[in-house]
Amino acid sequence: MAENDLNNPEIDIPDELKQQIAVTTLDRIYNWSRSNSLWPMMFGLACCAIEMICTAASRYDLSRFGMEVMRPSPRQADVMIVSGTVTKKMVPQIVRLYNQMSEPKYVIAMGACASGGGPFKEGYNVVPGVDKFIPVDVYVAGCPPTPQALLHGLITLQKKIEGEHIPDTRWYKKGEVEALPIPILGPDLMDPRHFELIREETHKPLPVVDVIIEGGETA
Amino acid sequence: MSEQTAIHPLYAQLISKFPDSVVRDDRAGFNGVVVQPLNLLEVVKELRDSLGYDYLSSVTAADDFPEERLEVIYHLFKSVGGAPAVIKVFLGREEPVVPSLTPMYPGAELQEREVWDLYGIRFANHPDLRRILLWEGFQGFPLRKDWKEPLYEEDVKPFKSRWPEGKGERKELLNPYKDNVQYPREFEPSTVSGDVDQAMYKSLEYSDDPNSRVIKTDQLVVNLGPQHPSTHGVFRMAVVLEGETIVNLKPVVGYLHRNHEKIGERNTWLQNMPYTDRLDYLAPMSNNFGYAITVEKLMGIVPTERAEYIRVMMAELTRIASHTMTTGFLLNDLGAYFTPALYALEERELILDVFEEVAGSRMMVNYFRFGGVVRDVSPEVLKKIKHLVYNRLPRKIDELDKYISANEIVRTRCEGVGVLTADDAIAFSTTGPNLRASGVPYDIRRADPYSIYESLDFDVCTHDHGDVYDRYRVRIDEIRQSIRILKQVLDRIPEGPIMAGKPQYATKVPAGEAYGRVEGPRGELGFYVVSDGKPNPKRYHVRAPSFINLTSLAQMCKGAKVADAVTILGAVDIVLGEVDR
Amino acid sequence: MNGFGILKGLWITLRHFFDTYLSEFGRNRKKLPLDDQRGMVNSPGLFTIQYPEEVLAAPEEFRVIPFLVYEAGDYDQRKYRCTSCGICAKVCPTQCIYITRKKDAETGKPIPSPEEFYIDTDKCMNCGFCAEFCPFDAIKMNHDFELATYERGETHIFNKEKLGKPVEYYAKIRPVNYALEVAEKAEKAEKSTAA
């Protein structure tokens, strides 16, 4: 345990006791323990998943951070590493998995694809960033990020967790947190939050372009 | 390709046998014959039964837009080796129908579904023609040239908006929905249920007769995946169970469909190279290899000698890395949680270190260029590879072999499980270690040699039982053969240039078509490219081995237990980047 | 004998576990230098890299996001080597490079220098084509992989300021390439003076 992580510097500790006791706030010890036992979900999408496996393997060794417990079940996981291209066909499942994770939950968008579509963004079946559907805490750049880059992302997430306060955390607030709406596969991917917009846009009169009107007349 | 006047005797034979329905494809740079759709079945039957073309490798289509024509292209091979027979069928764009080859070659099943999905070509008498990579209800057939995706900018790259007036904006924010989506006119979103699996469940056959069953229970459908640790990514199997026995199984794929081919047809020839890395991301060097030799075939250039040796060296290293990983994860699937995979990953890391040094990236190497490779291999790296090949890898492979092969749990779980006979394996177009484990000595490095493999000394590894254990054995044997190849390559590698000609970003590719294939770690990796002389390919198709290996999954799993299905899938060794493309 | 296989398997794991400790004692509990851990010629196996404290040495050709090379001008001005010829934007497979060419304010004629240079790191596939085909050695691939952020809307499109790195930095991370380049330039200069 790093001393300055946990010890509260505002209280003087006599020198002879420095090795024996630690004075801390509830926030700090709570965040410290949480951030050092993040269990990722065993959830691989694409190429980045292989780098995620390598991160968990002996050379980079996630267990140094207390993260080696890869849980296949979302209900036991704390952090979802979205490792790879998110396709339209897959995104309903991802949102469903996110909804099934219990609070506190964090999301890491690993790699260019998960962050913003990546090299495949122009494709017709690719979601330009998983943050269109679920809240993302940390974005890790790279295509694919090397295991060390993923570790840096996880450390960045730990820092974020260490800065949280118990009173304003999401999962201690009153009332239920609404589950995220699950996207629907129709003629294209539909976000239920955008139904009104879709209706509006598709019923808009066509922009007046001469070519289209001429084509309509001849047909 | 240049001798347009000479006709292959096979095609001459076909034309003389079917003078009314078969004509030669006489476009410049193209080969093969064009068959009338109605006569396709008899021509293919002749090819299979009399001429020995028993292996249907690839089924794909192309769009000749703006001509009002679609093509279906078949590549058939003999399972004893040799060059392909190329058969084409021309169809109109409206309601195209062609007879399905599934009754003759069951291996065509998934490929024909893919063509239907992406081109809208209907295959008559196909047992289960549904969308495969996209979902039921998707609007349009995306690989047709006149279909435009929501973030469409221009027909071909480079896009003009990037330079000299590049703005650095995100394209999706210009879309009214701030997303990569588009909808038909006057669309009412609440009319869509979103239940896209109905047709799939309907196609799973149940038997309703309770007396036919061993256990008197209902049959039930279980979905394994797409998020399941045993499915190696986002693969999904819908399994009909009776007790614990699998009665029927359907693979459901497309969860990683990244539109590789559509993007590939926008890219310039060279720009496709880094995209191929992301196909089979466990063996990027093989993918580079396949694409490079295909385009070189079309361009008519030959890489320099040193480049050929470097290429083979990298391809064999990638094979070792991939096979060790597969072996490790097969054990993972058997329940030896992660430990064997960790041991296997160690060797892979060392090979990746080599890649990182020569190519700059661990996985996405982007190392091959048309006519050579991008960077020379330094003496230090050669020393490292030598150390790996002579000292470390043989020892580690022997160790792995010793740990696993005689282990009684491995043997009881693997022997006799997921059997595929040699005839079935050929009929299902299985490739790679899976085919060789069934006793068919078909390895493209020998059957249709490319690069310098003809001059190298190695064996084609086969085993006879066609079960999971033999698939594992074939992989271990192949690693040993790869080490053998690497030793020869390291001994003989000549000095010299690594590129034929100057490196260029604008590649001139003459019009024509080419089908190139390499023996990747998962089997025959084929690339079918069509050029019309422009800087971008007109058609770019990847014949993905692990996608086609999935065709026989149901056959292998029927009658097995659920736990065995996981093992069988692990031994088939799929990589989703390649399955879904 | 049934059940023996399980014991054997456990024994393998146990031996590996002890081996890691024994090999440490064998070397007097001294850790190998980082280069050797990677080079593995002298080491019995792989070692865990204690990442935030020690970083695996990146090989010279390692590539993440590209950067723009500039030379120091007067008054701390950055003299970018880039001439905004647009080759990198044309060769980029994902089309993630956006260049605005500088124009003369009066005549409107283009000046060989970039007004703005953007790279959308959410699209960049780190392929290295831009660096490979740049005729002016103006764009190179960076080794810095520590790019995790909490937000992407503003930060993930790198502009000219963020992409710029001094030429010394380039010399530091790619010494071999830099030396080659300097030698090549000297040769060229010699030729031109001889002519």
Side-chain angles (χ1 to χ4, degrees):
Chain A
M1 118 184 33
E3 211 175 301
N4 35 4
D5 278 358
L6 201 55
N7 267 351
N8 193 335
E10 282 138 45
I11 293 170
D12 279 336
I13 307 167
D15 277 346
E16 61 271 25
L17 286 179
K18 265 205 173 138
Q19 300 302 314
Q20 278 94 36
I21 60 163
V23 181
T24 183
T25 60
L26 196 58
D27 257 358
R28 283 193 182 196
I29 194 150
Y30 176 69
N31 288 336
W32 171 82
S33 39
R34 263 185 335 114
S35 65
N36 285 301
S37 67
L38 282 174
W39 290 6
M41 187 154 76
M42 193 193 256
F43 171 57
L45 288 178
C47 339
C48 289
I50 307 297
E51 289 296 60
M52 187 172 77
I53 292 168
C54 289
T55 317
S58 38
R59 192 177 206 180
Y60 299 96
D61 201 7
L62 263 182
S63 54
R64 293 181 293 128
F65 302 90
M67 296 170 187
E68 78 278 23
V69 198
M70 289 255 186
R71 298 274 89 182
S73 161
R75 289 168 213 282
Q76 300 163 342
D78 300 311
V79 52
M80 179 195 234
I81 304 178
V82 184
S83 53
T85 318
V86 181
T87 60
K88 288 180 186 169
K89 201 170 174 180
M90 191 63 197
V91 80
Q93 276 83 343
I94 293 176
V95 176
R96 201 167 283 147
L97 286 169
Y98 178 81
N99 283 340
Q100 286 175 359
M101 282 168 75
S102 48
E103 296 271 15
K105 53 188 171 186
Y106 301 94
V107 178
I108 291 182
M110 180 185 178
C113 287
S115 307
F120 298 95
K121 180 173 168 178
E122 62 198 278
Y124 46 87
N125 192 27
V126 176
V127 174
V130 72
D131 54 1
K132 293 256 184 298
F133 294 96
I134 56 176
V136 174
D137 294 281
V138 172
Y139 300 89
V140 185
C143 187
T146 57
Q148 294 185 63
L150 177 61
L151 286 177
H152 180 254
L154 286 163
I155 294 168
T156 317
L157 179 65
Q158 284 187 328
K159 279 191 193 132
K160 179 177 185 164
I161 294 172
E162 275 157 18
E164 283 177 339
H165 296 293
I166 296 177
D168 44 80
T169 41
R170 190 173 55 206
W171 52 94
Y172 286 128
K173 288 207 174 132
K174 284 211 171 111
E176 266 184 42
V177 181
E178 287 243 336
L180 292 175
I182 290 162
I184 296 168
L185 292 172
D188 207 330
L189 187 72
M190 299 186 295
D191 190 335
R193 292 170 294 193
H194 294 166
F195 272 10
E196 205 45 52
L197 179 71
I198 293 170
R199 232 170 262 137
E200 203 177 291
E201 285 290 333
T202 53
H203 286 82
K204 250 189 203 167
L206 279 173
V208 187
V209 182
D210 294 344
V211 183
I212 292 177
I213 291 168
E214 277 169 19
E217 278 170 3
T218 48
Chain B
M1 238 152 285
S2 53
E3 68 272 22
Q4 276 300 307
T5 44
I7 183 164
H8 195 280
L10 167 78
Y11 300 140
Q13 204 177 337
L14 277 182
I15 292 169
S16 64
K17 175 116 193 192
F18 304 97
D20 301 333
S21 51
V22 178
V23 289
R24 194 176 156 204
D25 186 359
D26 49 9
R27 291 172 289 177
F30 286 74
N31 48 24
V33 285
V34 181
V35 182
Q36 292 293 327
L38 287 176
N39 304 86
L40 178 70
L41 286 179
E42 48 177 329
V43 174
V44 173
K45 201 169 165 40
E46 167 79 14
L47 269 171
R48 185 187 72 165
D49 295 343
S50 319
L51 300 167
Y53 284 82
D54 52 354
Y55 187 85
L56 177 67
S57 172
S58 148
V59 180
T60 187
D63 186 356
D64 288 338
F65 191 74
E67 250 178 282
E68 287 293 306
R69 188 173 69 189
L70 294 171
E71 299 173 25
V72 185
I73 300 126
Y74 301 91
H75 284 86
L76 295 109
F77 289 93
K78 291 179 185 169
S79 60
V80 291
V86 187
I87 306 273
K88 289 169 195 169
V89 178
F90 288 165
L91 303 160
R93 286 174 80 81
E94 298 296 323
E95 296 286 319
V97 184
V98 69
S100 166
L101 292 191
T102 320
M104 254 188 276
Y105 297 97
E109 189 192 337
L110 295 187
Q111 300 193 66
E112 287 185 341
R113 275 178 65 190
E114 185 195 316
V115 172
W116 155 245
D117 189 0
L118 302 179
Y119 277 99
I121 296 172
R122 203 167 264 291
F123 289 87
N125 294 329
H126 189 283
D128 183 19
L129 196 67
R130 288 176 289 118
R131 284 198 181 255
I132 180 163
L133 297 177
L134 294 160
W135 59 90
E136 289 295 321
F138 184 82
Q139 186 83 12
F141 300 109
L143 274 188
R144 291 199 181 188
K145 292 276 183 193
D146 51 353
W147 189 89
K148 295 202 167 76
E149 57 263 57
L151 295 188
Y152 171 82
E153 286 188 62
E154 279 168 53
D155 269 344
V156 291
K157 288 178 184 174
F159 300 143
K160 290 186 184 66
S161 63
R162 300 299 193 264
W163 177 86
E165 298 290 327
K167 290 287 184 304
E169 72 220 343
R170 292 200 165 88
K171 185 76 173 71
E172 79 269 19
L173 298 181
L174 306 178
N175 182 301
Y177 312 103
K178 307 276 179 279
D179 200 354
N180 183 6
V181 288
Q182 63 189 6
Y183 305 99
R185 293 285 307 155
E186 318 248 311
F187 171 63
E188 176 48 51
S190 52
T191 53
V192 177
S193 71
D195 186 6
V196 291
D197 286 335
Q198 292 243 325
M200 191 267 297
Y201 289 127
K202 217 175 256 172
S203 74
L204 281 169
E205 294 145 29
Y206 297 78
S207 84
D208 289 330
D209 178 16
N211 296 322
S212 73
R213 295 174 199 155
V214 187
I215 317 169
K216 299 265 187 296
T217 55
D218 279 349
Q219 295 190 336
L220 56 108
V221 180
V222 175
N223 279 297
L224 288 158
Q227 197 278 119
H228 191 277
S230 75
T231 55
H232 295 225
V234 284
F235 176 69
R236 171 173 163 205
M237 306 186 261
V239 189
V240 183
L241 292 180
E242 192 184 305
E244 264 200 68
T245 312
I246 294 172
V247 182
N248 203 348
L249 179 146
K250 284 271 174 196
V252 185
V253 301
Y255 292 98
L256 193 56
H257 179 45
R258 305 194 271 197
N259 332 118
H260 194 89
E261 292 177 10
K262 185 84 178 174
I263 294 174
E265 284 164 25
R266 295 222 187 295
N267 284 347
T268 64
W269 292 96
L270 184 68
Q271 282 173 349
N272 269 337
M273 191 61 86
Y275 276 98
T276 59
D277 292 333
R278 286 151 180 85
L279 277 173
D280 176 354
Y281 38 74
L282 292 181
M285 289 286 188
S286 310
N287 306 340
N288 275 197
F289 205 170
Y291 182 60
I293 65 164
T294 311
V295 179
E296 278 160 9
K297 229 185 221 178
L298 206 52
M299 291 166 76
I301 56 170
V302 181
T304 61
E305 210 188 344
R306 185 175 171 85
E308 292 273 33
Y309 276 88
I310 295 175
R311 283 178 171 196
V312 170
M313 190 159 74
M314 293 304 158
E316 295 305 321
L317 280 176
T318 220
R319 190 186 317 276
I320 296 173
S322 169
H323 279 350
T324 43
M325 181 135 176
T326 307
T327 309
F329 276 88
L330 174 66
L331 273 270
N332 204 11
D333 291 341
L334 283 173
Y337 184 74
F338 219 52
T339 312
L342 287 180
Y343 296 164
L345 276 172
E346 259 184 39
E347 310 319 304
R348 183 169 178 270
E349 283 287 337
L350 293 174
I351 293 171
L352 292 192
D353 273 356
V354 172
F355 291 172
E356 196 171 6
E357 215 145 314
V358 297
S361 181
R362 290 155 51 85
M363 285 167 74
M364 304 310 169
V365 290
N366 187 17
Y367 187 57
F368 288 40
R369 297 287 178 274
F370 309 127
V373 292
V374 60
R375 215 167 277 117
D376 205 351
V377 179
S378 67
E380 293 90 76
V381 177
L382 273 181
K383 200 175 130 204
K384 227 180 230 191
I385 298 174
K386 253 182 205 152
H387 169 75
L388 268 181
V389 168
Y390 280 98
N391 303 334
R392 176 145 180 131
L393 287 175
R395 179 165 53 92
K396 284 288 170 181
I397 298 310
D398 287 348
E399 207 178 83
L400 206 65
D401 193 6
K402 198 179 87 193
Y403 290 161
I404 303 171
S405 300
N407 186 299
E408 70 193 40
I409 306 168
V410 173
R411 296 190 73 139
T412 38
R413 284 293 305 278
C414 294
E415 280 178 339
V417 172
V419 177
L420 198 64
T421 62
D423 289 342
D424 276 354
I426 292 173
F428 276 108
S429 305
T430 313
T431 67
N434 295 319
L435 180 63
R436 291 190 283 279
S438 297
V440 184
Y442 186 75
D443 185 323
I444 294 158
R445 292 173 293 173
R446 280 278 180 261
D448 192 3
Y450 54 96
S451 195
I452 53 164
Y453 279 111
E454 214 159 13
S455 66
L456 293 169
D457 200 17
F458 67 97
D459 298 332
V460 175
C461 316
T462 53
H463 279 263
D464 301 327
H465 303 101
D467 55 5
V468 171
Y469 188 72
D470 275 4
R471 277 171 217 140
Y472 149 74
R473 293 285 326 164
V474 165
R475 290 204 174 92
I476 292 284
D477 290 351
E478 274 185 15
I479 296 175
R480 296 218 169 95
Q481 295 302 324
S482 288
I483 293 173
R484 200 169 145 197
I485 294 174
L486 279 168
K487 283 180 180 168
Q488 297 168 46
V489 169
L490 283 168
D491 278 350
R492 289 190 217 158
I493 183 164
E495 290 297 321
I498 46 154
M499 269 292 268
K502 251 183 90 182
Q504 273 178 328
Y505 66 90
T507 316
K508 282 204 177 55
V509 180
E513 63 168 1
Y515 181 75
R517 50 187 196 145
V518 292
E519 181 71 33
R522 276 156 201 84
E524 175 184 339
L525 176 67
F527 285 87
Y528 175 71
V529 292
V530 179
S531 166
D532 51 1
K534 296 209 182 94
N536 310 69
K538 190 177 154 212
R539 175 79 180 108
Y540 166 70
H541 172 69
V542 185
R543 186 245 186 240
S546 41
F547 174 62
I548 293 158
N549 282 351
L550 278 180
T551 322
S552 55
L553 186 68
Q555 168 89 5
M556 284 190 262
C557 287
K558 271 180 198 167
K561 303 280 185 243
V562 193
D564 290 337
V566 173
T567 319
I568 293 167
L569 185 72
V572 170
D573 185 19
I574 55 169
V575 172
L576 267 297
E578 188 180 69
V579 171
D580 295 343
R581 280 154 291 150
Chain C
M1 193 181 83
N2 270 354
F4 199 59
I6 296 179
L7 291 176
K8 248 170 142 176
L10 288 173
W11 172 242
I12 293 166
T13 319
L14 200 67
R15 221 183 55 211
H16 268 254
F17 177 71
F18 282 124
D19 267 357
T20 52
Y21 286 96
L22 290 177
S23 64
E24 295 248 310
F25 279 121
R27 293 197 325 269
N28 299 329
R29 304 190 62 87
K30 235 201 259 164
K31 260 200 109 171
L32 285 168
L34 265 179
D35 286 350
D36 254 6
Q37 292 183 26
R38 172 149 237 175
M40 88 285 165
V41 176
N42 301 321
S43 61
L46 277 179
F47 288 88
T48 301
I49 288 138
Q50 308 288 339
Y51 161 64
E53 287 85 30
E54 58 179 40
V55 180
L56 196 60
E60 174 151 352
E61 295 301 339
F62 183 61
R63 46 188 154 84
V64 189
I65 303 283
F67 66 92
L68 288 173
V69 184
Y70 67 80
E71 266 144 282
D74 302 332
Y75 310 112
D76 284 347
Q77 263 195 329
R78 293 174 166 191
K79 272 171 35 192
Y80 288 94
R81 285 183 176 182
C82 177
T83 62
S84 76
C85 68
I87 286 180
C88 50
K90 280 177 208 153
V91 79
C92 177
T94 63
Q95 297 287 297
C96 69
I97 300 180
Y98 305 77
I99 307 170
T100 318
R101 194 161 53 185
K102 209 175 242 174
K103 273 183 188 159
D104 196 305
E106 287 166 19
T107 57
K109 274 187 187 162
I111 299 174
S113 174
E115 177 73 45
E116 237 340 321
F117 198 108
Y118 300 101
I119 290 181
D120 187 349
T121 56
D122 284 342
K123 285 179 85 180
C124 176
M125 69 188 334
N126 313 158
C127 66
F129 273 157
C130 46
E132 196 181 323
F133 291 105
C134 178
F136 304 99
D137 290 309
I139 187 165
K140 295 285 163 196
M141 301 307 279
N142 204 341
H143 284 186
D144 183 19
F145 56 81
E146 293 177 334
L147 298 163
T149 52
Y150 296 122
E151 189 271 349
R152 80 177 174 98
E154 302 290 317
T155 51
H156 275 208
I157 295 186
F158 285 17
N159 59 9
K160 198 168 72 172
E161 270 59 55
K162 208 166 173 188
L163 287 168
K165 289 272 188 297
V167 71
E168 292 77 36
Y169 177 78
Y170 166 46
K172 198 182 107 204
I173 64 166
R174 291 174 184 264
V176 179
N177 279 319
Y178 182 72
L180 277 176
E181 200 188 296
V182 170
E184 209 172 278
K185 267 186 193 157
E187 201 180 312
K188 247 186 205 167
E190 209 169 272
K191 257 185 201 164
S192 62
T193 48

